Amino acid sequence: MDYILFKKSISENIKVVAVSKTKSTEKIKEIYDLGHRDFGENKVQELVKKYEDLPKDINWHLIGKLQRNKVKYIAPFIHLIHSVDSERLLNQINKEGDKNNRIINVLLQIKISNDPLKTGFEYSELGDMFSGSIFLKYKFVKIIGFMGIGSIDQSKNEKEFKKISDYFNKINKIHDLKYLSLGMSNDYKLAIKYNSNMIRIGSLIFGSRN
Ligand SMILES: *Cc1c(COP(=O)(O)O)cnc(C)c1O
Protein backbone atom coordinates (compact mmCIF):
# COMPACT_ATOMS: atom_id res chain seq x y z
CA MET A 1 0.00 0.00 0.00
CA ASP A 2 0.97 3.59 -0.51
CA TYR A 3 2.43 5.19 2.64
CA ILE A 4 0.22 8.26 2.50
CA LEU A 5 -2.98 6.24 2.13
CA PHE A 6 -1.93 3.92 4.92
CA LYS A 7 -1.05 6.78 7.28
CA LYS A 8 -4.39 8.48 6.53
CA SER A 9 -6.23 5.31 7.48
CA ILE A 10 -4.68 5.25 10.97
CA SER A 11 -5.91 7.45 13.85
CA GLU A 12 -3.57 10.27 14.89
CA ASN A 13 -3.42 8.77 18.38
CA ILE A 14 -1.61 5.72 17.13
CA LYS A 15 2.14 5.85 16.65
CA VAL A 16 3.26 4.09 13.49
CA VAL A 17 6.78 2.66 13.57
CA ALA A 18 7.90 2.01 10.00
CA VAL A 19 9.91 -1.21 10.16
CA SER A 20 12.78 -0.70 7.73
CA LYS A 21 14.86 -3.85 8.36
CA THR A 22 16.67 -5.05 5.20
CA LYS A 23 15.54 -1.88 3.36
CA SER A 24 18.06 0.56 1.90
CA THR A 25 18.73 4.05 3.25
CA GLU A 26 17.32 5.42 -0.05
CA LYS A 27 14.01 3.67 0.59
CA ILE A 28 13.93 4.98 4.15
CA LYS A 29 14.72 8.49 2.94
CA GLU A 30 11.69 8.34 0.61
CA ILE A 31 9.38 7.70 3.56
CA TYR A 32 11.28 10.25 5.67
CA ASP A 33 10.68 12.86 2.97
CA LEU A 34 6.94 12.26 3.31
CA GLY A 35 7.27 13.41 6.92
CA HIS A 36 7.71 10.10 8.74
CA ARG A 37 10.18 10.12 11.64
CA ASP A 38 9.81 6.80 13.51
CA PHE A 39 11.69 3.83 12.09
CA GLY A 40 12.29 0.40 13.56
CA GLU A 41 15.08 -2.11 13.05
CA ASN A 42 15.66 -5.56 14.53
CA LYS A 43 19.47 -5.74 14.37
CA VAL A 44 21.85 -3.44 16.23
CA GLN A 45 24.53 -3.31 13.56
CA GLU A 46 22.09 -2.42 10.80
CA LEU A 47 20.39 0.16 13.00
CA VAL A 48 23.67 1.89 13.88
CA LYS A 49 24.74 2.03 10.24
CA LYS A 50 21.44 3.59 9.19
CA TYR A 51 21.55 6.02 12.12
CA GLU A 52 24.93 7.21 10.85
CA ASP A 53 23.81 7.51 7.23
CA LEU A 54 20.41 9.16 7.72
CA PRO A 55 19.14 12.50 9.14
CA LYS A 56 19.61 12.88 12.88
CA ASP A 57 16.00 13.80 13.68
CA ILE A 58 14.84 10.22 13.06
CA ASN A 59 13.45 8.41 16.12
CA TRP A 60 15.07 4.97 16.02
CA HIS A 61 13.27 2.02 17.59
CA LEU A 62 14.93 -1.30 18.32
CA ILE A 63 12.33 -4.06 17.94
CA GLY A 64 14.52 -7.20 17.82
CA LYS A 65 16.40 -9.31 20.33
CA LEU A 66 19.08 -7.22 22.09
CA GLN A 67 22.23 -8.75 23.51
CA ARG A 68 23.69 -7.09 26.55
CA ASN A 69 27.11 -6.55 24.99
CA LYS A 70 25.49 -4.53 22.19
CA VAL A 71 23.56 -2.04 24.32
CA LYS A 72 26.53 0.33 24.28
CA TYR A 73 26.28 0.88 20.52
CA ILE A 74 22.73 2.24 20.62
CA ALA A 75 22.65 3.81 24.11
CA PRO A 76 23.77 7.27 22.94
CA PHE A 77 20.85 7.83 20.58
CA ILE A 78 18.14 5.14 20.70
CA HIS A 79 14.59 6.53 20.99
CA LEU A 80 12.85 3.41 22.29
CA ILE A 81 13.85 -0.21 22.91
CA HIS A 82 10.75 -2.41 22.47
CA SER A 83 12.40 -5.74 23.15
CA VAL A 84 13.54 -5.78 26.77
CA ASP A 85 13.09 -9.39 27.82
CA SER A 86 15.15 -9.81 31.01
CA GLU A 87 16.17 -7.97 34.16
CA ARG A 88 19.82 -8.45 33.32
CA LEU A 89 19.21 -6.54 30.11
CA LEU A 90 17.40 -3.77 32.00
CA ASN A 91 20.36 -3.52 34.33
CA GLN A 92 22.75 -3.21 31.39
CA ILE A 93 20.64 -0.54 29.70
CA ASN A 94 20.65 1.36 33.00
CA LYS A 95 24.46 1.25 33.14
CA GLU A 96 24.78 2.54 29.60
CA GLY A 97 22.18 5.22 30.26
CA ASP A 98 24.29 6.35 33.20
CA LYS A 99 27.46 6.45 31.07
CA ASN A 100 25.69 8.49 28.41
CA ASN A 101 23.92 10.62 30.96
CA ARG A 102 20.49 9.98 29.43
CA ILE A 103 17.36 8.18 30.45
CA ILE A 104 16.59 5.41 27.96
CA ASN A 105 12.94 4.65 27.23
CA VAL A 106 12.02 0.98 27.02
CA LEU A 107 9.07 -1.34 26.65
CA LEU A 108 8.97 -4.70 28.37
CA GLN A 109 8.38 -7.44 25.84
CA ILE A 110 5.79 -9.92 27.06
CA LYS A 111 5.73 -13.44 25.70
CA ILE A 112 2.14 -13.57 24.50
CA SER A 113 2.63 -16.49 22.11
CA ASN A 114 3.82 -20.05 22.53
CA ASP A 115 5.75 -19.99 19.25
CA PRO A 116 9.19 -21.45 20.05
CA LEU A 117 11.28 -18.53 18.75
CA LYS A 118 9.41 -15.77 20.57
CA THR A 119 10.99 -14.33 23.71
CA GLY A 120 9.82 -12.02 26.44
CA PHE A 121 8.76 -11.97 30.05
CA GLU A 122 6.11 -14.36 31.29
CA TYR A 123 3.17 -12.59 32.94
CA SER A 124 4.02 -14.36 36.19
CA GLU A 125 7.59 -12.96 36.20
CA LEU A 126 6.31 -9.43 35.67
CA GLY A 127 3.99 -9.64 38.66
CA ASP A 128 6.99 -10.30 40.92
CA MET A 129 9.06 -7.54 39.33
CA PHE A 130 6.29 -4.98 39.71
CA SER A 131 5.70 -5.79 43.35
CA GLY A 132 9.46 -5.24 43.86
CA SER A 133 8.90 -1.95 42.03
CA ILE A 134 11.02 -2.31 38.97
CA PHE A 135 9.68 1.08 37.90
CA LEU A 136 11.78 2.90 40.49
CA LYS A 137 14.82 0.67 40.59
CA TYR A 138 16.66 1.96 37.53
CA LYS A 139 17.49 5.63 37.43
CA PHE A 140 18.52 5.72 33.79
CA VAL A 141 15.74 3.55 32.37
CA LYS A 142 12.13 4.54 31.93
CA ILE A 143 9.63 1.74 31.38
CA ILE A 144 6.87 3.31 29.29
CA GLY A 145 4.85 0.29 28.18
CA PHE A 146 4.68 -3.23 26.83
CA MET A 147 5.38 -4.93 23.54
CA GLY A 148 3.97 -8.18 22.20
CA ILE A 149 4.31 -10.28 19.06
CA GLY A 150 1.32 -12.43 18.15
CA SER A 151 1.51 -16.06 17.09
CA ILE A 152 2.06 -16.90 13.45
CA ASP A 153 -1.18 -18.87 13.68
CA GLN A 154 -3.57 -15.93 13.41
CA SER A 155 -6.49 -17.80 14.94
CA LYS A 156 -4.68 -17.38 18.28
CA ASN A 157 -4.14 -13.62 18.03
CA GLU A 158 -7.45 -12.39 19.38
CA LYS A 159 -7.02 -14.22 22.67
CA GLU A 160 -3.36 -13.14 22.97
CA PHE A 161 -4.14 -9.49 22.21
CA LYS A 162 -7.05 -9.35 24.63
CA LYS A 163 -4.88 -10.71 27.42
CA ILE A 164 -2.00 -8.25 26.97
CA SER A 165 -4.46 -5.39 26.54
CA ASP A 166 -6.24 -6.23 29.81
CA TYR A 167 -2.87 -6.54 31.53
CA PHE A 168 -1.72 -3.19 30.13
CA ASN A 169 -4.89 -1.51 31.44
CA LYS A 170 -4.44 -3.10 34.84
CA ILE A 171 -0.81 -2.02 35.28
CA ASN A 172 -1.56 1.38 33.79
CA LYS A 173 -3.87 2.13 36.72
CA ILE A 174 -0.90 1.94 39.09
CA HIS A 175 2.05 2.96 36.93
CA ASP A 176 1.87 5.54 34.21
CA LEU A 177 2.38 3.65 30.97
CA LYS A 178 2.32 5.23 27.55
CA TYR A 179 2.50 2.60 24.83
CA LEU A 180 1.18 -0.81 23.99
CA SER A 181 3.29 -1.86 21.00
CA LEU A 182 1.24 -4.54 19.32
CA GLY A 183 0.43 -5.29 15.72
CA MET A 184 2.30 -5.73 12.47
CA SER A 185 1.24 -5.55 8.80
CA ASN A 186 -1.05 -8.56 8.96
CA ASP A 187 -2.61 -8.06 12.39
CA TYR A 188 -2.55 -4.34 13.17
CA LYS A 189 -6.30 -3.87 12.82
CA LEU A 190 -6.97 -6.49 15.46
CA ALA A 191 -4.22 -4.97 17.64
CA ILE A 192 -5.86 -1.54 17.44
CA LYS A 193 -9.19 -3.09 18.40
CA TYR A 194 -7.41 -4.21 21.58
CA ASN A 195 -6.06 -0.74 22.39
CA SER A 196 -2.66 -0.93 20.76
CA ASN A 197 -1.40 2.64 20.31
CA MET A 198 1.92 1.77 18.69
CA ILE A 199 2.04 -0.47 15.64
CA ARG A 200 5.12 -1.82 13.87
CA ILE A 201 4.55 -1.86 10.13
CA GLY A 202 7.11 -3.22 7.68
CA SER A 203 5.86 -4.86 4.50
CA LEU A 204 2.73 -2.71 4.16
CA ILE A 205 4.89 0.42 3.93
CA PHE A 206 8.06 -0.87 2.29
CA GLY A 207 6.81 -3.86 0.30
CA SER A 208 7.62 -7.46 1.07
CA ARG A 209 11.08 -8.60 2.20
CA ASN A 210 12.95 -11.43 0.49
C1 LIG B 1 9.70 -7.46 11.07
C2 LIG B 1 8.96 -7.07 12.28
C3 LIG B 1 7.79 -6.31 12.19
C4 LIG B 1 7.16 -5.86 10.88
O1 LIG B 1 6.63 -6.94 10.19
P1 LIG B 1 5.70 -6.75 8.90
O2 LIG B 1 4.93 -8.01 8.83
O3 LIG B 1 6.61 -6.57 7.74
O4 LIG B 1 4.85 -5.56 9.14
C5 LIG B 1 7.16 -5.95 13.38
N1 LIG B 1 7.65 -6.31 14.57
C6 LIG B 1 8.77 -7.04 14.70
C7 LIG B 1 9.24 -7.41 16.06
C8 LIG B 1 9.46 -7.46 13.55
O5 LIG B 1 10.57 -8.19 13.69
Side-chain angles (χ1 to χ4, degrees):
M1 200 196 293
D2 173 65
Y3 167 79
I4 301 210
L5 282 179
F6 174 72
K7 196 66 182 34
K8 271 192 188 146
S9 76
I10 305 289
S11 154
E12 300 249 319
N13 307 322
I14 294 167
K15 180 68 84 181
V16 175
V17 177
V19 175
S20 49
K21 62 192 186 196
T22 78
K23 301 296 176 184
S24 66
T25 49
E26 289 75 21
K27 273 265 189 188
I28 297 172
K29 190 72 176 18
E30 280 175 26
I31 306 295
Y32 174 92
D33 287 339
L34 296 172
H36 200 79
R37 290 296 177 269
D38 289 84
F39 292 90
E41 290 283 334
N42 66 339
K43 296 205 170 94
V44 167
Q45 204 180 356
E46 188 174 342
L47 192 156
V48 170
K49 177 87 175 67
K50 287 172 176 172
Y51 164 76
E52 284 165 357
D53 292 348
L54 283 157
K56 291 298 169 284
D57 63 344
I58 287 179
N59 298 322
W60 287 104
H61 297 246
L62 185 78
I63 60 169
K65 176 84 183 161
L66 176 58
Q67 279 155 356
R68 281 180 300 142
N69 61 356
K70 293 196 175 158
V71 175
K72 57 177 177 281
Y73 301 117
I74 58 171
F77 67 88
I78 196 75
H79 179 70
L80 180 62
I81 302 174
H82 293 226
S83 44
V84 174
D85 60 358
S86 74
E87 261 221 77
R88 292 172 78 204
L89 179 56
L90 263 183
N91 195 34
Q92 186 64 33
I93 296 169
N94 187 57
K95 274 189 199 157
E96 294 298 333
D98 190 355
K99 273 188 207 160
N100 288 278
N101 196 28
R102 67 188 292 257
I103 293 172
I104 300 177
N105 288 328
V106 306
L107 306 178
L108 302 181
Q109 182 172 353
I110 304 183
K111 189 173 185 300
I112 64 169
S113 148
N114 287 324
D115 290 355
L117 292 175
K118 307 261 157 71
T119 69
F121 290 100
E122 302 286 348
Y123 287 103
S124 55
E125 276 181 278
L126 288 179
D128 290 345
M129 281 164 50
F130 295 161
S131 48
S133 206
I134 192 86
F135 288 92
L136 302 174
K137 190 166 168 190
Y138 299 108
K139 229 178 122 188
F140 295 94
V141 175
K142 188 157 191 230
I143 298 168
I144 61 169
F146 300 144
M147 184 269 240
I149 305 175
S151 289
I152 294 173
D153 175 356
Q154 290 205 25
S155 69
K156 295 181 177 163
N157 291 165
E158 183 137 27
K159 211 171 152 206
E160 293 164 348
F161 288 6
K162 180 174 189 319
K163 187 168 177 188
I164 192 173
S165 175
D166 288 347
Y167 191 71
F168 179 82
N169 291 338
K170 179 177 140 187
I171 301 302
N172 203 14
K173 288 200 179 102
I174 314 162
H175 302 285
D176 194 21
L177 299 177
K178 195 163 178 202
Y179 290 118
L180 178 58
S181 167
L182 192 64
M184 325 201 310
S185 293
N186 57 10
D187 59 16
Y188 73 92
K189 284 183 182 155
L190 187 65
I192 290 170
K193 180 176 162 198
Y194 286 102
N195 301 317
S196 172
N197 58 358
M198 180 173 268
I199 56 178
R200 310 176 306 266
I201 306 296
S203 36
L204 257 186
I205 291 176
F206 287 102
S208 59
R209 294 176 298 273
N210 303 321

